[in-house]
Every structure is written in C-alpha cells, then in structure tokens.
Amino acid sequence: MEQTLRLVFWELTARCNLKCSHCRAEAQEESVEGELTTQEILRIARDIRDAADPIIVLTGGEPLVRPDLFEIARACAGMFSQVALATNGTLVDDDMAREIADSGIRRVSISIDGATAQTHDEFRGVPGSFEQALSGLEALKKVGLSLQINTTVTRHNAEELESILTLALEQGMDAFHVFMLVPVGCGAEIDDSSRLSAERTEEILEWLFEKSLELRGRLFVKATCAPQYARIMREVSQKKGVQLSVETHGMNAASRGCLAGTGVCFVSRVGDVQPCGYLPVRVGNVLERRFGDIWHDSEVFDALRDPGQLKGKCGVCGYRVVCSGCRARAYALTGDFLSEEPDCPQESTGGKH
C-alpha cells in the first residue's frame, strides 16, 4: 500500500552532553565511528527530496554538538518545506539561538522531563540541565522560533505532568508532546517499577486529550509513541458529543496512531533506515541504496502498511486502522513488530475502522 512520507527523523550524531536514563540513541560523550559526513548528508538529503517533501527533524544524541549542523540545516531548509530541530536545550544561548533561526529551522523542540530541577536533572543525568534548558527556551523565544516541549513520562514524573503543562503555557510554547516510554536503548534498562502500567497509561492519555480540548487554540497538545491515543480521541469525542477535528499535515498533524513505516521513518547516524527511531529494524542503508527505493520497496514497510498483518488483539481490533498499536513497543517486548501492543489494556473492540 502506497504511503505519503510526512516526517523523517534524522539522527545526525550519537554524541550528547547529557546522560538520559531513557535515551533511544544510547548517547555517548565522544565521537562515534562511522557517522555520516557533511557531504554524505547533503547528498542523502537530495535523495529524500527527490522522493518526497517531508518535515525533516534534525535530532541526535544532541545535534548541536555537530560543528556542521548549520550548514546541514541551511541546505535542508533550501530543499524542504519545513525543518525542525530536536535538542535538549542546554547548549543554546542568545548567539546559538540566532544561528538556529538564521539557518532556516522553523521549529525547535526541547525536552523537559520534570516540573522541578530535581526531577528533570535526575532523569537527564546532569545537575543544572533543567535551568540550562529553560535558559535555552528563553533565548529561542527572543528570536521568534516556534517552540515545543517534549516530555517522556514514566512513574517518576507522571504526577508532574499537570505542572509541566502549566510550564509550557507560562513559557508561551506552541506545542506540548507527551512521549510514552518505549523500552529501547537506555530505556530498556528502566525497570518495571518505573514503567507505567497499561491502565495508568490509559488514564494519562485520557487526561491529555481532555487538556487538548480545553486548550485548543492556545497550545497544541499531543501524545507520541501512544497510538491508542487515536482510539481515545474518538471515544472521548463521541462521549462528549464533540466533533473530532485533527490536522493531517504540518507540525501539528495527528491523524492516526502508529506511523512507523507508514508516514514516518528514521535515518540513523550511519545511514541505516528504520521505520522509526524506536523500532531498531534495519530496512536499508542510504549509502548503499537510494532513499526513495528503500521507502517504496521495503518488505518491512509493506508489512507495517497492512493492518491485516497485525497479530493478537491488535489484529482483530476495530481500531486497528487508526491505531495499529505501537510497533516498536511490541518489538521490544516480543521480538515481533507485528505482535499486539503490550501497553494497551483493551481487549479486542468492535469500534469502527
């Protein structure tokens, strides 16, 4: 089934100045052998543009540690309609903020994983990172960039989500994205006592959607790595008699659940293509094969694009087309990316497709 590519998350490096307990990239302090060169990245960017015009999200590790980041950003801004940057914010001062804006980047997301320095810094592994991230936000606001706060939720900060949301409002953010933990990379080492139960995940997602309705027009609120949110949006809207309206394109798109390999893909620091950054299944490598050929002709992508191949309760669920379950979470816990979503408490449901 043919799919429109909407987002490419491009991991420019594994290097990072923080030591986050949940890091997908298993970030490292030193340079990592085999990272794509500037010229390789620019060539691959042209290949991606030949195939589609997705939003390009420059990420890491911490992408700001790459000395060629702004050369890459300027080139991408000249090729693609929208370029975003995902950063921890700790390296951003006024000069850096101006460079980010001047490079053509249109939105910056900064990770805030606690409402207090104690919670955030413990999760991020470096004292002072909370205040540095907030300072980075202030610098970016001065240059007028669109800003987003990302929060990865576990039991350590679940009770602070309301306060983090308040912080996002006070800081004048454009978007607040809540990431439900996927146990890959360093996140796989987070024990079960820190992971949310399926029932608690459901409660948080219902709360998040209620907030998205309440704050509509003030702050865009979205769940990420939580495809069951697509079901919850529909169920709560029906219960409240509210017409569900979601954007299908742009920075605030939220049309369906798991987009891995359907509307989203990931390019690693060494050029490996994966369905998403949390699903470590190598589909191809952009140094060996053109990006467009990988996107259009992969057996893995074909499987992910066919809800009929889903297994367990996901395979018989009436919401399988709009939700699909988290393929990365299924893979992490079972070794099969088509198995059922382990963090959904629902039994199979007869909801509409």
Side-chain angles (χ1 to χ4, degrees):
M1 180 168 56
E2 187 60 38
Q3 297 287 334
T4 300
L5 179 63
R6 288 173 28 193
L7 277 163
V8 172
F9 292 91
W10 200 335
E11 177 193 61
L12 298 181
T13 182
R15 285 169 284 161
C16 188
N17 58 320
L18 300 185
K19 302 172 183 177
C20 304
S21 59
H22 64 297
C23 182
R24 165 203 53 75
E26 298 182 280
Q28 304 171 43
E29 294 183 33
E30 304 299 327
S31 296
V32 180
E33 185 177 354
E35 289 188 349
L36 297 173
T37 67
T38 308
Q39 292 309 309
E40 287 171 336
I41 288 171
L42 299 185
R43 177 180 63 77
I44 294 161
R46 289 191 288 272
D47 280 352
I48 295 172
R49 186 62 186 88
D50 286 343
D53 184 19
I55 297 170
I56 299 292
V57 182
L58 304 176
T59 183
E62 173 47 63
L64 289 174
V65 305
R66 275 197 72 131
D68 59 353
L69 171 68
F70 297 116
E71 180 181 354
I72 293 168
R74 283 191 293 272
C76 286
M79 295 183 218
F80 300 96
S81 299
Q82 299 181 73
V83 180
L85 174 71
T87 173
N88 61 46
T90 62
L91 301 178
V92 180
D93 56 16
D94 288 345
D95 290 339
M96 180 74 77
R98 280 192 292 272
E99 279 200 84
I100 292 170
D102 290 346
S103 71
I105 289 169
R106 291 180 57 182
R107 174 173 285 187
V108 180
S109 66
I110 288 185
S111 298
I112 301 290
D113 291 311
T116 66
Q118 179 179 352
T119 306
H120 177 91
D121 292 357
E122 180 181 349
F123 206 51
R124 291 274 153 183
V126 175
S129 57
F130 181 71
E131 293 301 330
Q132 290 171 341
L134 292 183
S135 177
L137 277 175
E138 285 297 326
L140 291 163
K141 283 198 301 186
K142 292 177 187 175
V143 296
L145 281 164
S146 176
L147 296 174
Q148 170 181 317
I149 282 180
N150 293 342
T151 298
T152 297
V153 60
T154 63
R155 289 187 182 180
H156 93 285
N157 65 354
E159 302 308 316
E160 296 184 18
L161 277 178
E162 184 91 48
S163 297
I164 300 172
L165 175 59
T166 298
L167 175 66
L169 287 166
E170 291 173 348
Q171 292 289 328
M173 299 295 99
D174 295 296
F176 176 54
H177 288 202
V178 173
F179 287 68
M180 309 311 291
L181 179 72
V182 180
V184 297
C186 295
E189 300 172 12
I190 294 178
D191 62 37
D192 289 340
S193 66
S194 297
R195 293 188 62 218
L196 295 170
S197 68
E199 291 73 22
R200 182 67 176 123
T201 297
E202 193 90 350
E203 290 173 1
I204 288 173
L205 293 176
E206 288 185 11
W207 168 83
L208 195 68
F209 184 58
E210 295 275 2
K211 289 298 180 182
S212 76
L213 295 175
E214 177 186 328
L215 298 171
R216 185 178 290 173
R218 294 176 58 197
L219 178 71
F220 177 72
V221 178
K222 179 183 178 183
T224 299
C225 299
Q228 60 269 51
Y229 189 64
R231 166 181 56 79
I232 288 169
M233 290 167 66
R234 286 159 175 79
E235 290 176 342
V236 174
S237 295
Q238 186 175 22
K239 188 185 305 181
K240 287 179 166 290
V242 176
Q243 184 174 358
L244 180 63
S245 176
V246 294
E247 294 186 37
T248 57
H249 297 86
M251 295 288 186
N252 292 341
S255 58
R256 65 187 298 271
C258 185
L259 292 171
T262 61
V264 164
C265 77
F266 173 88
V267 179
S268 82
R269 58 190 179 268
V270 297
D272 286 339
V273 177
Q274 301 171 197
C276 81
Y278 298 99
L279 179 49
V281 175
R282 185 182 185 272
V283 177
N285 187 286
V286 286
L287 294 178
E288 302 165 0
R289 196 172 175 215
R290 286 177 62 87
F291 176 87
D293 294 336
I294 297 172
W295 176 253
H296 292 297
D297 301 325
S298 160
E299 291 183 4
V300 171
F301 286 163
D302 284 345
L304 289 166
R305 294 165 188 173
D306 180 7
Q309 294 196 39
L310 296 175
K311 301 173 184 176
K313 63 185 178 184
C314 286
V316 295
C317 180
Y319 288 100
R320 63 186 177 275
V321 173
V322 297
C323 171
S324 295
C326 178
R327 300 299 95 220
R329 198 173 289 114
Y331 181 82
L333 297 178
T334 70
D336 181 356
F337 60 79
L338 293 174
S339 66
E340 67 185 31
E341 159 71 74
D343 283 0
C344 177
Q346 298 284 317
E347 295 302 324
S348 60
T349 173
K352 294 180 180 179
H353 296 192

